[in-house]
Every structure is written in C-alpha cells, then in structure tokens.
Amino acid sequence: MPEISTADFARLRDVRAGQPELVRAALDARRKRSLLADDGKLFIVAADHPARGALAVRNDESAMGDRYDLLERLVTALGRPGVDGVLGTPDILEDLALLGALDDKVVVGSMNRGGLRGATFEMDDRYTAYSAQAIKDSGLDFAKLLVRIALEDSGTAPTLEATARAVSEAAALRLPIMLEPFMSAWQDGRVVNDLTADAVITSMAIAAGLGESSAYSWLKIPVVDDMERVMAATTLPTLLLGGDPSTRPLETYAKWADALALPGVRGLVVGRTLLYPPDGDVAAAVDVAAGLVHTQEARAGFSTESHDPAARLAGATTMDSSIPEGSNA
C-alpha cells in the first residue's frame, strides 16, 4: 500500500467539503474479502478511541489528536502482511475509504459509546455512532460495541437494553457483531473494569445472552489469568483484547500466544499500543502481533513454558503493563 502524500490529504479535504457523496461511493467501491483468513483467524487494528475522547497513549495525553498522523499510522499498519482489517467509527473509516486503504480488509464499524470517561452519565452507555443497519448499508463486514456492567449503577439497565436491541438488529441483518463486555464499578470517582477471571466469565455470560439470537454474536475479551477456564465459559467465537507490551514484551506476548492457542479464540484486536509503539516503528510492532495470530510457529515460540525462542520476535519492537488497553478507557 503506497504511502499517503500531502496531495492525498488535500484531496480528502476537498472531497469532504465539496463532494461528500464520494464518501459513500468509496465505500461501495472497496474490494471485499471473506471474514476469516484461510487459517480461520483474524487480526484487527483498532482505532475507535478518539470518538470516545480517549486520545492518550501512555504518558502522551493527546497522542491520537493529530488525525493526519493517525491516518498515516493506520495506512502503514493495514499495509502489513497478516493485518486482516480495521475497527473504527464512521469518521475514521470514511477517511480510510477515501484514501483507498480498505480494499481486501475486514472493516468493523464501531457503534461507539456515549458514556464518556469521567462523565456523570458514564454508565448510561448508549450507542452514538453506527447502528447495525448503517453498518450493513455502508457495506461493512462487522459491528462492534462495548457493554460495561456496573451492578450498583442504574445506568447499566438502559445500556443492556440498547445492547440487546443492537444484537437483535444485527442478527436479523445477518451481520456479525462483536460484544466487548466488562464487569465494572466506581472506584474513587472513576469507572474501573474488573479483570479477574471470574468477573470476565460473568461478563461473557451476560453478553452472550443479550438479544433475540446469538447466531451472529462474537465476544471480545481481555487476556487475563486462567484463560483456559475463561474460554470454557463460551461457545461463541472470541477475539482477544490486546494489552500494552512495551515494558514486558516477552510476558505479554507469551500471554497472547497461549490464549490464541485456546479453542474458540479466533484472533486479536489491538489498537493504540501497536499504532504508537515507543520506538515509533509501527510496521515492526504490527508484524510481531500478526505473526502471533497467523503463525503457529510464532505462537509456539512465545509459550510461557519457554521464553527464549521468542527473543527474535520480541527484539523486533521495544514495545507499560499487560493490562488490556481498553480496560479503563
């Protein structure tokens, strides 16, 4: 995939200002592919963070604030072998469509969340971007939503109701929908997700039962301790929410690799930590993750039983903790 030039960005701005109908034309014209790769796996790069006001990456509070820089990073990532697709809100995906970056990719429309971090209404997490119908009409391949469940917050009830409606609508449209569930609670004035295995299992059970049919439901869950027991909690196809491997790459990659080998796990969804690696090398960071998803040898090399064979891949990027990047954002 060619690099983006200043002329490409100028054309994008001109189209948005004077020919907005070309946005839909670009989406309609994109070359599509089957949902799963030949090995039955998926590696998706996520970029739906800005629309929920989450612009920070590690210590940089506005890292994702430069849209042109973000688009360049996304185009680089999508051009790497083994990257199957991208997850974003309409503004991001439409920019990428106009730049010609979505051909032969799985495109996941984020329904986004209205419960912005720090807001008094944070747990009233209604959906504010795509609907399932809009995703289908735009020719996208997949829907995604976040469903946080705080038992002591009444905002959870409308969130669950809205999620059930979205799942039912997606099933009626035969549109795969990715549910990212968390058991959450207020702590010191902010919402924190419970990343214990028992809490993840509980959230999965609740999410799987939402809607009039689960036929098109997928789960997106964090990599936590005791993943074998976690994955025994569902028959739904499941994608893993990646963490940040910057300071402990071997440990984090080993956890990813072990989890990717479990029955029912279909791949990995990672965003900011690969798009903004500490050393700036997006391609190298993405290549490591893609290798873990699509190469059995790479997954075996990162077994927690033996870290030494993984050094060659860990050295490809010097990518803070293994806490999932979406855990509190």
Side-chain angles (χ1 to χ4, degrees), residues 203-217:
S203 73
M204 293 163 66
I206 294 169
L210 293 173
E212 295 170 352
S213 172
S214 65
Y216 291 86
S217 294

Side-chain angles (χ1 to χ4, degrees), residues 109-296:
S110 172
M111 304 177 80
N112 203 35
R113 69 171 193 249
L116 300 177
R117 182 174 57 181
T120 58
F121 51 85
E122 183 168 351
M123 289 310 301
D124 187 354
D125 231 354
R126 63 193 71 185
Y127 303 112
T128 56
Y130 286 113
S131 64
Q133 186 65 60
I135 291 171
K136 190 75 170 182
D137 291 345
S138 297
L140 309 187
D141 307 296
F142 221 132
K144 179 261 180 180
L145 54 77
L146 177 76
V147 52
R148 294 178 298 173
I149 304 155
L151 300 181
E152 75 282 11
D153 193 312
S154 60
T156 294
T159 297
L160 292 175
E161 184 179 29
T163 304
R165 286 198 302 269
V167 171
S168 295
E169 183 181 12
L173 294 168
R174 299 185 178 183
L175 174 72
I177 184 166
M178 188 190 308
L179 293 89
E180 182 179 352
F182 288 101
M183 299 304 297
S184 305
W186 286 96
Q187 294 182 13
D188 300 323
R190 66 190 187 102
V191 176
V192 176
N193 298 323
D194 189 337
L195 300 179
T196 62
D198 286 338
V200 173
I201 289 169
T202 300
S203 73
M204 293 163 66
I206 294 169
L210 293 173
E212 295 170 352
S213 172
S214 65
Y216 291 86
S217 294
W218 288 53
L219 294 176
K220 176 177 177 240
I221 63 170
V223 178
V224 298
D225 291 336
D226 206 359
M227 282 299 294
E228 187 171 357
R229 184 163 67 93
V230 168
M231 283 308 301
T234 187
T235 59
L236 297 183
T238 300
L239 297 170
L240 304 176
L241 167 63
D244 187 349
S246 31
T247 60
R248 292 181 290 182
L250 288 178
E251 179 182 342
T252 303
Y253 291 141
K255 287 182 177 180
W256 289 4
D258 289 347
L260 283 164
L262 294 172
V265 174
R266 289 288 179 173
L268 186 65
V269 182
V270 191
R272 290 172 288 188
T273 58
L274 297 186
L275 291 173
Y276 296 85
D279 64 359
D281 194 338
V282 176
V286 168
D287 287 351
V288 173
L292 290 176
V293 174
H294 289 297
T295 308
Q296 290 183 349

